[in-house]
Amino acid sequence: MTFDRARQAVGLVGGPLCALGVYALPIPALSPGAHTLLAIVTLVCLWWITEPVPIPVTSLIGPMLAVIFGVAAVGDAFDAFSSPVIFLFLGGFILARAMTLHGLDRRFAYKILSLKWVGSSPTRIFLAVGIATMLCSGWISNTATAAMMLPISIGLLEAIQEMMAANGKNVDLHTYKYATGLMIMTAYAASIGGVLTPIGTPPNLIMVGLLDTMADIHVSFFQWMVWGFVAMSVYFAIAAAVLHFQYPADIKRIDGAEDVIRRKVEELGPWTFGQKATLVAFLGAVVLWTAPGVLSIVFGSDSQILSSYSVMLPESVVALLAAVSLFLIPTDFENREFVMNWKDAVAGVDWGTLLLFGGGLSLGTLMFSTGLSEWVGASIVAAFGGEPSEFVFVAVFCVLSLGLSELASNTAAVNMVGPLAITAATTAGFDPIPVAVGVALSASLGFMLPVSTPPNAIVYSTGYIPITKMIKSGFIIDVVGIFCVTIPLCLLLVKFVIG
C-alpha cells in the first residue's frame, strides 16, 4: 500500500511535469500537432503506469486533451470509441456474463474434473484444474475464471487435509507444497487460457484493433485461434512441468476428491433452459467466428462466398447477434423473464476495459495521422543501429511488453507498446503481425507478482502462496515462455500461417 501511494503521488506530479518538458523540448522533425500529441502521450503513458487516477479515466484524458490543444477534431479523437472491435468486446462480455450467470462455466469445469481419467490422482487433478481453468478463460474473463475455480481448488485441498488428518498427520495448507502449486496453477492457467481467442483477454483484441487501424491488416478470429491455440498449449505444458517439479504431491491418492467433485456436480442440478439457450448462443457464435477460416480453406481466400460472408457477418456483428439473442429467448414468458436482462448484462460488462481500449486505439490512430508514429518508428529503428535483425526486434518489444505487464495493467502495457511496435516494424520494413502478436502474447505472461494480474492477486489472497514462491515460479515461466515460445512462434508460425 505504501508503494502504491508513493507511486501514485509521483505520477500525479511527475506526469504533467514530464509532459511539459517534452512539449518544451525542441523537436524540429515533428509538426506542431505531432509534438503536442507526443506530450499528451507522455502524460497518458506515465499515468497508466503510476495510476494517480483510475486507468480508464486516464484513457479519456488523452483524446480529450488532443481536442483541447487542437491536435484533432472531436469526431476524429473519439471515433475510435465506436470501433467495431469495441462491439466485439461488448458482445463477448455479455455472452460471458450469461455463461457465468447460468452456471454454464461451472458445469463445463466440473465436467472436466469429473472425467474418469482424473480420478483421485493428485497429478491428474492438478492438470485437470489447470485445463478446466485454461479452457474457460479462453472465452470469459480470466478474473471471473480464477474466482470460479478458486473454491474448487480449495475444496480439493481441504479433502487432502481431512484425509491426512484421518491418518494421523496434520497438514498446514499454508505451507504445504502441493497446495502452493495448485493455487499457482489456478492463477497461471487463467492467464494462459486468455491467449486462445481474440476475446480471451483485452491485449489480444487491442492488437487486432491497432493492426486494423494503423496497418490496414485484418486478423480474423480463426487466424488468432490458430496462433493462440499453439501458444496456449505450449505455455500450459511449460507451466505444468515447472510447477509439478517445484511443488510435487507427496501422496499418490486423494481420498475424498471424487466426492468433492461429485457434490459440486450434484449442486448444479439438471440442465436448465437458460443453460441450454446460452450454450446454443455460445456455440453459434463460435461457429460463425470460425467460419471464414473454413471457407478460406475450402473455397480459397479470394472466393466471392468468403468476401460476401465477411461483409455480412464480421466478428463484431456475430458477437452482437449472439448477445442480443439472449435478450429475445424467454425462460418464463408469462413473467417476461429472458435468458439475459439488462441489469445482469450491465453487471457483466467491463466498461473500464472498453474505455481503456478506446483511449489506446484513439491515441494510436492520432499518432498515425499526425506523423508522430513515423517519427517514433524511425527513432526506434535508428536506436537499433538502422538495420535490426527481426529476431532482436521482436524480442525487444516482447520483453518490454512483459516487463510493463508485470508492474502495470497488461491492457495498459499493450496500449503503450503496441503502437510503437507496429510503427517501428513498418518503418524497418518488417511485417507488423509477428511483433504485434508477440506483444499481445507477452502481456499475458505476467506471472511474477500478485499485482501483475487479477488471477495472481485472487489466489495470493488465500495465504497459500509465499510471495517468494510466486516470483521464483513466475520468473522461470516468463523467461522460458517468452524465449522458447513467444518469439519463435511469432517469427516462424505466424509467417507460415500468413504464407
Side-chain angles (χ1 to χ4, degrees):
M1 293 296 292
T2 302
F3 172 77
D4 286 339
R5 284 196 295 268
R7 175 169 60 96
Q8 292 166 358
V10 170
L12 183 63
V13 177
L17 290 178
C18 288
L20 289 173
V22 170
Y23 185 74
L25 190 69
I27 309 178
L30 290 178
S31 66
H35 194 168
T36 302
L37 182 61
L38 179 61
I40 294 172
V41 170
T42 299
L43 171 64
V44 170
C45 288
L46 289 175
W47 275 15
W48 270 337
I49 295 172
T50 58
E51 297 184 61
V53 297
I55 288 178
V57 175
T58 301
S59 302
L60 293 173
I61 290 174
M64 179 186 71
L65 291 179
V67 174
I68 291 174
F69 289 100
V71 175
V74 64
D76 295 331
F78 288 92
D79 183 60
F81 288 88
S82 63
S83 167
V85 183
I86 291 280
F87 293 95
L88 173 55
F89 241 145
L90 179 61
F93 279 142
I94 294 175
L95 193 59
R97 172 60 176 167
M99 295 173 68
T100 303
L101 184 67
H102 291 282
L104 193 61
D105 53 351
R106 292 190 297 276
R107 190 173 289 278
F108 175 73
Y110 294 153
K111 178 63 177 176
I112 293 177
L113 291 171
S114 63
L115 293 174
K116 289 184 178 180
W117 71 270
V118 178
S120 299
S121 165
T123 300
R124 291 197 290 270
I125 287 175
F126 175 82
L127 291 174
V129 167
I131 291 170
T133 305
M134 176 180 67
L135 294 180
C136 285
S137 185
W139 304 97
I140 65 175
S141 159
N142 58 7
T143 305
T145 302
M148 173 192 72
M149 294 299 297
L150 185 62
I152 301 174
S153 298
I154 291 176
L156 292 169
L157 292 175
E158 289 174 347
I160 294 177
Q161 192 177 43
E162 292 173 4
M163 179 197 73
M164 299 186 79
N167 294 326
K169 183 178 180 181
N170 293 322
V171 173
D172 182 1
L173 295 180
H174 293 83
T175 58
Y176 187 48
K177 273 191 173 185
Y178 183 77
T180 300
L182 189 63
M183 288 292 104
I184 294 179
M185 170 56 84
T186 303
Y188 289 2
S191 296
I192 289 171
V195 308
L196 174 61
T197 67
I199 63 171
T201 187
N204 300 353
L205 213 48
I206 288 172
M207 292 311 302
V208 169
L210 289 174
L211 281 171
D212 191 40
T213 57
M214 298 184 68
D216 195 26
I217 296 174
H218 176 70
V219 176
S220 71
F221 203 98
F222 181 81
Q223 277 182 308
W224 189 280
M225 280 193 67
V226 172
W227 309 330
F229 178 78
V230 174
M232 178 190 74
S233 301
V234 185
Y235 286 152
F236 181 77
I238 292 171
V242 171
L243 295 178
H244 178 69
F245 176 78
Q246 290 184 323
Y247 312 105
D250 58 353
I251 52 177
K252 295 183 179 180
R253 177 181 175 83
I254 304 176
D255 293 328
E258 291 172 294
D259 293 334
V260 170
I261 299 302
R262 184 167 56 251
R263 285 197 301 270
K264 292 290 186 180
V265 173
E266 290 172 353
E267 288 173 5
L268 292 177
W271 279 75
T272 65
F273 180 79
Q275 289 174 341
K276 294 176 182 178
T278 302
L279 179 62
V280 170
F282 167 70
L283 292 178
V286 173
V287 169
L288 293 176
W289 276 328
T290 56
V294 177
L295 292 176
S296 177
I297 294 172
V298 175
F299 298 103
S301 58
D302 298 325
S303 66
Q304 181 61 42
I305 187 172
L306 175 60
S307 177
S308 299
Y309 183 95
S310 299
V311 170
M312 293 176 61
L313 289 171
E315 286 94 341
S316 55
V317 172
V318 170
L320 292 178
L321 182 63
V324 169
S325 70
L326 300 173
F327 293 90
L328 301 175
I329 303 173
T331 55
D332 184 351
F333 187 74
E334 184 176 346
N335 294 313
R336 299 300 188 268
E337 294 180 1
F338 297 83
V339 175
M340 177 65 71
N341 61 60
W342 184 244
K343 182 179 179 180
D344 289 328
V346 169
V349 175
D350 189 344
W351 300 104
T353 295
L354 294 181
L355 292 178
L356 176 55
F357 175 78
L361 194 60
S362 173
L363 289 181
T365 303
L366 292 177
M367 287 175 64
F368 181 77
S369 63
T370 60
L372 177 60
S373 62
E374 183 179 355
W375 177 81
V376 170
S379 300
I380 293 174
V381 172
F384 276 106
E387 295 183 1
S389 70
E390 193 164 7
F391 173 83
V392 173
F393 182 85
V394 172
V396 166
F397 281 105
C398 286
V399 171
L400 180 59
S401 177
L402 172 60
L404 286 174
S405 70
E406 289 285 6
L407 302 174
S409 158
N410 60 3
T411 308
V414 171
N415 267 334
M416 288 183 278
V417 179
L420 303 180
I422 291 174
T423 54
T426 303
T427 302
F430 297 142
D431 189 322
I433 292 181
V435 70
V437 174
V439 167
L441 296 180
S442 299
S444 292
L445 290 177
F447 294 145
M448 289 178 60
L449 299 170
V451 298
S452 300
T453 66
N456 286 11
I458 288 172
V459 300
Y460 181 74
S461 67
T462 63
Y464 294 158
I465 306 175
I467 183 65
T468 53
K469 300 293 186 182
M470 180 174 281
I471 291 174
K472 181 180 179 181
S473 300
F475 177 78
I476 295 173
I477 298 172
D478 279 352
V479 172
V480 176
I482 201 168
F483 287 105
C484 297
V485 182
T486 308
I487 297 171
L489 172 65
C490 293
L491 294 177
L492 300 176
L493 179 63
V494 175
K495 282 182 170 294
F496 174 76
V497 173
I498 294 170

